[in-house]
Amino acid sequence: DEEYKGEVAFLYPTTLSSHADSELYAAVAQVKQNANLQNGIARLEAAIEQHKPAQPELYFELGEAYWESAKPEQAIPAYRQALARAPEFWPALHKLGLALSRTGSAESAIAALERASSLSSDATVLNDLALVYRQAERMNEAVASLQKAIILNPDLSQANNNLGGLLRERGHTAGAERAFQKAIVAQ
């Protein structure tokens, strides 16, 4: 079963209310499904540049396309453009934090992820924040973030596994064992 990788097209309606919307949303569809991603990125960039849309989601999707293409340094400006239009848009803050952490900007990543975690109840954000805390050698904060993630979603096996790893590194064998057991059960 092979995935389609060609151009996307509207089935119904065949066009949207405006030419700009048709161009923008067709380009988003192209990158969203990873169908012909490189051409889709160029198409979405061109549509955004031409029409300068107000919707933060369009910039976010451009950032996501770059993220999927393993280009976090190019995703960062797109996520920032989304946030310039909607500062409370936590998915953009979350992904901005991840992109910043991949490019070596740990403290900026932490600031974005802390803000995202204050706006969201998604335990994955706290798990990701903990990983960046660990990268910055802020172990107490990493443990606390993972504990909060587990309270929000006890079934998040990654958070339990990460907590087990941190506790084991810190010599807390019994706590690490409990966390690893919870990770196995949560899967």
Side-chain angles (χ1 to χ4, degrees):
D1 189 5
E2 194 134 332
E3 287 185 33
Y4 179 71
K5 295 290 184 188
E7 288 291 313
V8 295
F10 294 106
L11 295 178
Y12 183 82
T14 55
T15 59
L16 297 179
S17 59
S18 75
H19 176 70
D21 283 349
S22 290
E23 282 186 20
L24 288 161
Y25 288 102
V28 165
Q30 192 80 44
V31 298
K32 188 87 172 154
Q33 297 305 315
N34 289 341
N36 198 1
L37 191 56
Q38 293 311 309
N39 288 342
I41 288 172
R43 186 175 175 184
L44 183 54
E45 277 184 330
I48 286 173
E49 181 61 33
Q50 180 180 0
H51 302 293
K52 310 241 186 294
Q55 301 95 317
E57 296 83 5
L58 298 170
Y59 299 89
F60 177 75
E61 291 302 337
L62 179 59
E64 292 290 85
Y66 278 124
W67 181 258
E68 288 296 318
S69 297
K71 296 178 180 174
E73 65 286 340
Q74 290 176 282
I76 291 168
Y79 293 137
R80 285 188 170 141
Q81 284 292 320
L83 291 164
R85 286 154 180 78
E88 308 283 306
F89 188 34
W90 72 263
L93 282 163
H94 178 211
K95 293 307 278 284
L96 173 63
L98 292 177
L100 288 166
S101 75
R102 291 267 167 86
T103 60
S105 302
E107 290 306 315
S108 296
I110 288 169
L113 288 165
E114 285 176 341
R115 179 109 170 92
S117 72
S118 75
L119 296 168
S120 167
S121 61
D122 186 337
T124 304
V125 176
L126 288 163
N127 181 68
D128 292 339
L129 174 59
L131 296 176
V132 180
Y133 278 143
R134 184 183 183 285
Q135 179 184 10
E137 298 182 15
R138 292 167 59 174
M139 299 307 186
N140 290 338
E141 290 162 292
V143 168
S145 187
L146 288 167
Q147 289 170 333
K148 288 179 194 173
I150 292 165
I151 289 168
L152 280 175
N153 183 356
D155 296 327
L156 186 61
S157 61
Q158 301 97 321
N160 284 293
N161 190 54
N162 290 332
L163 180 60
L166 279 173
L167 292 174
R168 186 187 67 222
E169 284 176 22
R170 300 181 84 197
H172 301 295
T173 309
E177 187 176 321
R178 280 191 304 276
F180 286 137
Q181 287 171 345
K182 288 179 183 178
I184 292 168
V185 170
Q187 282 189 335

